[in-house]
């Protein structure tokens, strides 16, 4: 039994990497090369706060592996975004980009701050200073940031502007920008769209029906709210949702459209009149067919995994399950659709955005969604075939495919 509470997030993700390396009978030297980040940058980010004080934040950009193409990965603003977490998220990007077979390596960045406590002006100044401090690592063919937890299209617009002040107009330097600045149609909904797409495929495989299922979603930001919205449009039965302030629950199903309107007005799902309050911890243990963690890492651990009652867990967030929780749910026969497959829709459409920026042409949303579906279908089918042929879990299959592709290209390029 893996007891992961003592381990850092990065060490936890490497347990999943090692499972894949074992399946591939990988040489110890190659493992060493692929496990650790290629480059780690830690910077100080001084910001003049609105009250005149100077605050100094920790910033990071981790380039995990770039053998398959330019480094690619989001930018997280969160109080827990430390070096180990960003390294973990960067390595997940390496395996995810390889799994969906887009020509990018894996990276991640972040600043240890609480954006909810900062004004718009403070966030603008923080983003510009952070961008300038990591700018020497970035480049359209080197490293391309995107939004993640705590950041959004506005933050990407500031990053693009700060980079452009040094290098000139460079829309392809970030993805997840506002459409008016060269962002892609369909980028904001892409991760949620991918989550729902994979859910439907897996449901079909398991003889389940998404439309009739009870669905629980933790997190109501970019990923969670779009997932809920798309499920709502399909007429699905979303019975509980939450954000950082708490959750709402209605056994007969929540009116998603009304909930979106409430969130728009109140800035949170809490206080929604047509449902009961529920704590985030209890929401994870609700009786349902699909549980979709779409907020932060490590919310399902060895402690609460035995009480999870979902029939399937879909990892819309990155690393929401510790390896110990993963093992408990596997033993209980609960399938887990891993992050590197379930939430890959975001980086796939980021790839389309980068392509559109390279030749300065915007695609229609219809084309974006069609191409997204093609790539997600191919990745899902590869995972399902590996699950069936090797009799392993979805996570093991997804990591096996991603890790194998990266190792192969590392060899072709002469790294090993
Ligand atoms: P976001 O900042 O837009 O939204 C995060 C949501 O989670 C908010 O509703 C917030 O209130 C809630 N939340 C924060 N802390 C919480 C807590 N302790 N308990 C319950 N809810 C909490 O972030 P996002 O972009 O939606 O990212 C969510 C997850 O999805 C992250 O793990 C991220 O890495 C992953 N992800 C995001 C994208 C993307 O395109 N944005 C792509 C792939 C994966």
């Amino acid at each position: 039994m893996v007891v992961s509470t003592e381990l850092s997030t990065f060490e936890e993700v490497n347990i999943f990497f090692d499972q894949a390396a074992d399946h591939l009978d990988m040489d110890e030297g190659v493992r060493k090369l692929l496990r650790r980040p290629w480059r780690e940058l830690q910077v100080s980010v001084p910001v003049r706060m609105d009250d005149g004080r100077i605050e100094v934040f920790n910033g990071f950009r981790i380039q995990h592996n770039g053998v398959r193409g330019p480094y690619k990965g989001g930018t997280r603003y969160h109080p827990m975004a430390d070096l180990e977490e960003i390294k973990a998220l960067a390595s997940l990007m390496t395996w995810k980009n390889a799994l969906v077979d887009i020509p990018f390596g894996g990276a991640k960045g972040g600043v240890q701050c609480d954006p909810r406590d900062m004004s718009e002006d403070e966030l603008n100044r923080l983003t510009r200073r952070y961008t300038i401090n990591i700018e020497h690592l970035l480049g359209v063919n080197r490293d391309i940031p995107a939004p993640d937890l705590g950041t959004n299209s506005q933050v990407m617009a500031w990053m693009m502007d700060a980079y452009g002040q040094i290098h000139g107009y460079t829309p392809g330097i970030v993805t997840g920008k506002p459409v008016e600045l060269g962002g892609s149609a369909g980028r904001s909904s892409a991760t949620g769209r991918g989550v729902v797409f994979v859910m439907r495929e897996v449901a079909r495989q398991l003889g389940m029906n998404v439309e009739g299922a009870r669905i629980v979603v933790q997190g109501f930001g970019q990923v969670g709210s779009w997932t809920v919205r798309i499920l709502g449009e399909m007429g699905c039965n979303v019975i509980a949702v939450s954000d950082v302030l708490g959750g709402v629950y209605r056994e007969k199903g929540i009116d998603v459209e009304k909930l979106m309107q409430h969130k728009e007005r109140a800035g949170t799902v809490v206080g929604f009149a047509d449902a009961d309050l529920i704590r985030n911890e209890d929401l994870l243990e609700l009786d349902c067919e699909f549980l979709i963690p779409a907020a932060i890492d490590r919310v399902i651990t060895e402690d609460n995994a035995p009480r999870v009652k979902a029939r399937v867990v879909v990892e819309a967030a990155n690393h929401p399950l510790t390896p110990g929780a993963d093992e408990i749910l596997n033993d209980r026969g609960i399938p887990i659709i891993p992050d590197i497959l379930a939430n890959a829709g975001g980086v796939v459409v980021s790839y389309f955005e980068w392509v559109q920026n390279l030749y300065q042409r915007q695609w229609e949303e219809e084309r974006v969604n069609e191409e997204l579906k093609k790539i997600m279908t191919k990745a899902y089918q590869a995972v399902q075939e590996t699950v069936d042929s090797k009799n392993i879990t979805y996570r093991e299959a997804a990591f096996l495919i991603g890790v194998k592709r990266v190792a192969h290209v590392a060899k072709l390029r002469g790294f090993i």
Side-chain angles (χ1 to χ4, degrees), residues 76 78 89 96 108 147-151 187 191 218-224 242-245 280 294-297 316-318 343 346:
R76 176 169 289 202
H78 193 272
L89 296 166
K96 186 184 306 181
K108 204 81 175 192
D148 188 63
L149 188 70
T151 59
R187 172 61 183 89
T191 311
Q218 181 185 53
F220 207 66
Q222 166 104 325
V223 178
S242 69
D243 58 34
V244 68
L245 300 179
N280 262 297
I296 53 168
D297 344 326
N318 281 312
N343 70 32

Side-chain angles (χ1 to χ4, degrees), residues 119-415:
S119 71
E120 174 119 344
D121 284 346
E122 287 169 344
L123 283 172
N124 186 346
R125 290 195 287 274
L126 173 106
T127 302
R128 286 172 187 283
R129 175 60 71 186
Y130 168 66
T131 307
I132 286 164
N133 286 359
I134 63 164
E135 163 275 327
H136 58 291
L137 292 190
L138 305 184
V140 175
N141 291 311
R142 291 185 180 278
D143 187 351
I144 307 128
D148 188 63
L149 188 70
T151 59
N152 54 23
S153 59
Q154 176 61 75
V155 173
M156 293 307 108
W158 292 328
M159 286 188 91
M160 171 185 156
D161 191 63
Y163 186 87
Q165 285 186 314
I166 304 168
H167 297 274
Y169 177 69
T170 320
I173 194 60
V174 288
T175 58
K177 302 176 287 292
V179 174
E180 306 88 303
L181 289 180
S184 179
R187 172 61 183 89
S188 53
S189 60
T191 311
R193 205 171 290 287
V195 168
V196 175
F197 175 76
V198 177
M199 253 174 95
R200 293 179 79 157
E201 294 298 309
V202 170
R204 202 192 344 253
Q205 184 69 26
L206 299 172
M208 296 167 72
N209 173 9
V210 174
E211 279 80 359
R214 292 165 301 166
I215 302 167
V216 171
V217 182
Q218 181 185 53
F220 207 66
Q222 166 104 325
V223 178
S225 70
W226 270 106
T227 303
V228 169
R229 191 157 150 185
I230 294 164
L231 291 168
E233 283 165 9
M234 287 161 52
C236 294
N237 194 19
V238 179
I239 62 167
V241 300
S242 69
D243 58 34
V244 68
L245 300 179
V248 290
Y249 167 57
R250 185 169 180 268
E251 206 185 332
K252 288 190 180 138
I254 291 172
D255 183 328
V256 168
E257 217 175 299
K258 276 195 190 163
L259 178 69
M260 304 292 307
Q261 288 163 5
H262 168 82
K263 162 79 200 286
E264 192 67 42
R265 278 194 309 273
T268 169
V269 297
V270 176
F272 180 56
D274 297 332
D276 297 325
L277 272 179
I278 185 165
R279 297 183 319 153
N280 262 297
E281 305 88 278
D282 300 331
L283 172 137
L284 296 171
E285 297 173 19
L286 282 172
D287 193 5
C288 62
E289 275 69 48
F290 291 95
L291 171 62
I292 311 180
I296 53 168
D297 344 326
R298 304 209 260 190
V299 292
I300 304 177
T301 64
E302 295 89 316
D303 291 337
N304 58 358
R307 297 190 297 274
V308 167
K309 295 182 198 69
R311 245 195 96 190
V312 181
V313 175
V314 185
E315 295 187 333
N318 281 312
H319 197 59
L321 269 71
T322 63
D326 184 75
E327 197 172 319
I328 291 169
L329 295 191
N330 288 339
D331 289 347
R332 291 180 56 208
I334 300 175
I336 303 157
I337 314 309
D339 42 14
I340 62 171
L341 175 64
N343 70 32
V347 74
V348 169
V349 175
S350 272
Y351 163 53
F352 299 158
E353 180 172 334
W354 178 75
V355 168
Q356 292 169 71
N357 292 154
L358 290 183
Y359 71 118
Q360 289 293 300
R361 185 86 202 258
Q362 287 205 314
W363 299 359
E364 300 288 334
E365 183 165 355
E366 209 182 2
R367 174 168 178 198
V368 171
N369 291 343
E370 253 170 46
E371 302 250 358
L372 170 64
K373 193 172 172 187
K374 269 192 222 160
I375 291 190
M376 294 301 289
T377 306
K378 213 169 146 196
Y380 163 74
Q381 283 172 348
V383 172
Q384 188 65 57
E385 276 162 25
T386 310
V387 166
D388 295 340
S389 63
K390 297 200 178 298
N391 195 21
I392 55 180
T393 66
Y394 282 102
R395 191 188 312 279
E396 286 172 316
F399 270 77
L400 192 155
I401 295 167
V403 169
K404 190 175 175 185
R405 285 184 182 155
V406 174
H408 176 64
V409 172
K411 192 165 192 318
L412 280 179
R413 287 183 62 160
F415 279 73

